[in-house]
Amino acid sequence: MASRVLVVGSGVLGLRTAVELTRRRIPVVLRSPVHPLHPSNCSQGAGGLWMPFHCDDPRTDRWAIETLDEIYPFAVDEENLLVRLQYALSFKRTHEGPDTEDFLAKDYHKGTGGKSQLPSWSTDDRLKFQNMTLEQVAWQNIVYKLKLPSLSIAQGAGYNHAWFFETPIIDCPKMMESMLEEVDMDPNDVNVETGVYYESIHQVLEEAKSLNCDAVVNCTGLGASKICQDSEIIGGRGVLLLYDRETCVRLPHPKAEDPLLAAPPEQLHDACIMVESSPWGSDEYPCYMIVRGDTIVVGGTYLEGDDEPAMRPEERKRLLENARILGVDTEASKPKGEWVGHRPYRPVTRCELDSEVSNNGLKLVHCYGTGGSGWTVYAGVAKDATDLILAPM
Ligand SMILES: Cc1cc2nc3c(=O)[nH]c(=O)nc-3n(C[C@H](O)[C@H](O)[C@H](O)COP(=O)(O)OP(=O)(O)OC[C@H]3O[C@@H](n4cnc5c(N)ncnc54)[C@H](O)[C@@H]3O)c2cc1C
């Protein structure tokens, strides 16, 4: 049982782990090179969509559901601005051709061994997940009145079905602020200091001793490749354009092509759209829109091993095209900003006790490598890391 813990890294995993430790009345020292609210933190710029994405650890779905348990009450609370519940639509194409009965069959969830098997998280009732043809989306939208791209154009492009569900969108900067406040206000001994960059895990352990900490949680994300010489962690580079939600002009609703969708613009609601298959998107170049707080986020890329820190002109051009496809009037609206981040991807998330290093009364737990799902799994991962810290040696 630890009596004082050094948490290294102030992304979502570091902050949420610090929060978890303080909730369990363990004094915490938090150290990181930049302030938790600095935009260079991967966790600050992320889309905030709850949906497992490029996180292949077998524990992902459990962590995701545990996180959903934590954020869902916020999402359904009208007064709470940290998390909003939103409809999400992921356009799909299957080469076998659409088979309505198969798409809608309950058994589909149990797995048919086919390529288009649904993910297990989709069975959670809170998400109201449905796999439907685009015609069915059009019919449903008479009720939902969502701002969607033209379904006829989507059909023409070869998309023949869509995942349609309701999911929480976390306002990442606001949630980071709220977690920092909780840590800062904790009556226990909590000490947050930025401007601290460690060169090696050895240096971290020495620092822990000098700070009278008997445990360390390493939440350094991609930084672990250097301090732990972890060759398995790799950056999945992502680029985003940011639009102001209030002033962003949306293309006229495609009444002509989709008469069922016709509704006055003021009656339409924002939706998150995700496309990971051609021609609009692909694994490496997903085309998506996430409406997060006062910002519309348009992405993106998922390029492993690409460490370019700035947006390339051709990427900006592609994002503008994505924005247009997804319904932004790119002539009338200019982005308010852009962002480049590197998802800390590891084939298996490193949430484990380092038994080689943990001895002589000092315990080291690693907690990094959540890829494109850090905000989807953060509460579950932070709780596991805390359990490991508090378990008897
Ligand atoms: C474009 C993009 C969109 C995304 N969208 C989503 C989304 O919609 N939903 C979702 O669930 N996830 C999303 N993600 C993924 C999510 O952002 C990450 O999984 C998550 O932020 C990882 O959190 P972390 O705390 O592990 O890492 P980070 O936020 O990177 O934090 C790591 C911390 O460690 C510190 N550090 C690094 N090296 C050292 C060192 N040597 N010494 C001390 N401190 C160090 C850093 O300064 C930082 O404070 C997205 C990511 C990107 C790039």
Side-chain angles (χ1 to χ4, degrees):
M1 170 91 180
S3 60
R4 185 170 153 91
V5 180
L6 169 62
V7 176
V8 184
S10 60
V12 57
L13 292 190
L15 268 185
R16 183 60 186 82
T17 304
V19 164
E20 190 63 27
L21 285 161
T22 57
R23 285 182 189 170
R24 300 196 207 179
R25 304 192 187 291
I26 306 292
V28 173
V29 178
L30 184 70
R31 293 285 183 268
S32 77
V34 293
H35 190 270
L37 306 183
H38 194 274
S40 69
N41 261 324
C42 180
S43 303
Q44 271 283 319
L49 170 74
W50 184 98
M51 187 180 96
F53 175 78
H54 287 288
C55 185
D56 299 322
D57 192 290
R59 296 165 291 183
T60 302
D61 281 3
R62 172 173 65 80
W63 287 329
I65 296 299
E66 284 172 18
T67 305
L68 187 63
D69 292 342
E70 176 160 306
I71 60 177
Y72 193 79
F74 296 150
V76 292
D77 172 1
E78 289 286 314
E79 308 277 297
N80 191 300
L81 298 178
L82 297 176
V83 188
R84 300 300 330 133
L85 207 53
Q86 242 175 52
Y87 287 101
L89 203 79
S90 181
F91 286 107
K92 305 281 175 195
R93 59 190 299 156
T94 44
H95 298 295
E96 308 92 64
D99 173 344
T100 310
E101 277 179 28
D102 199 21
F103 285 153
L104 301 178
K106 263 276 174 205
D107 284 353
Y108 207 75
H109 290 296
K110 292 179 192 139
T112 56
K115 270 190 271 176
S116 39
Q117 191 180 328
L118 297 179
S120 73
W121 55 260
S122 65
T123 56
D124 191 292
D125 285 345
R126 289 167 291 190
L127 303 170
K128 303 187 180 77
F129 186 101
Q130 296 179 71
N131 190 16
M132 54 175 79
T133 62
L134 295 198
E135 289 83 0
Q136 288 167 324
V137 173
W139 278 103
Q140 295 274 349
N141 215 33
I142 296 174
V143 179
Y144 296 112
K145 296 191 173 68
L146 303 177
K147 293 177 189 169
L148 300 179
S150 160
L151 296 179
S152 319
I153 296 177
Q155 253 169 342
Y159 300 106
N160 50 12
H161 66 119
W163 293 356
F164 188 50
F165 58 107
E166 226 183 342
T167 194
I169 311 293
I170 302 170
D171 190 329
C172 308
K174 280 206 174 82
M175 185 62 98
M176 298 277 286
E177 217 175 314
S178 148
M179 288 196 278
L180 190 61
E181 263 169 33
E182 183 172 346
V183 167
D184 272 344
M185 281 165 51
D186 191 88
N188 288 306
D189 174 19
V190 179
N191 172 310
V192 180
E193 195 177 306
T194 50
V196 186
Y197 182 85
Y198 299 105
E199 293 293 336
S200 67
I201 207 72
H202 176 73
Q203 199 186 354
V204 171
L205 297 174
E206 287 305 308
E207 176 94 318
K209 282 183 208 155
S210 72
L211 291 165
N212 291 325
C213 293
D214 49 8
V216 174
V217 189
N218 168 24
C219 303
T220 51
L222 263 189
S225 71
K226 184 172 177 200
I227 65 166
C228 301
Q229 316 221 310
D230 183 342
S231 57
E232 287 189 70
I233 185 147
I234 185 164
R237 182 166 169 277
V239 294
L240 301 174
L241 282 187
L242 312 173
Y243 287 89
D244 183 72
R245 186 177 184 179
E246 205 174 300
T247 57
C248 180
V249 180
R250 309 299 281 271
L251 288 167
H253 204 258
K255 282 184 197 175
E257 296 122 309
D258 296 307
L260 291 174
L261 299 180
E266 64 281 3
Q267 285 180 18
L268 296 174
H269 307 292
D270 282 309
C272 293
I273 320 280
M274 167 76 81
V275 193
E276 289 174 84
S277 52
S278 65
W280 291 355
S282 68
D283 244 11
E284 290 197 314
Y285 295 95
C287 167
Y288 62 91
M289 168 185 278
I290 300 172
V291 183
R292 186 196 74 191
D294 58 5
T295 300
I296 297 178
V297 170
V298 174
T301 59
Y302 181 85
L303 300 172
E304 286 191 0
D306 178 355
D307 51 15
E308 171 60 43
M311 178 90 74
R312 299 181 178 102
E314 64 272 21
E315 290 174 332
R316 195 172 295 115
K317 206 168 145 200
R318 192 186 173 96
L319 288 181
L320 284 170
E321 178 56 11
N322 287 354
R324 194 191 61 75
I325 290 173
L326 299 177
V328 173
D329 185 337
T330 50
E331 292 295 314
S333 301
K334 298 296 162 214
K336 67 175 177 179
E338 55 189 41
W339 186 74
V340 178
H342 297 83
R343 304 168 179 92
Y345 177 78
R346 199 172 186 274
V348 175
T349 303
R350 198 163 183 208
C351 181
E352 65 185 25
L353 175 75
D354 191 326
S355 44
E356 263 180 47
V357 171
S358 301
N359 58 33
N360 301 327
L362 189 62
K363 202 177 207 184
L364 171 63
V365 166
H366 298 288
C367 180
Y368 62 84
T370 50
S373 301
W375 279 103
T376 304
V377 298
Y378 74 100
V381 177
K383 286 178 184 176
D384 272 15
T386 305
D387 289 344
L388 289 167
I389 283 290
L390 300 185
M393 282 264 262

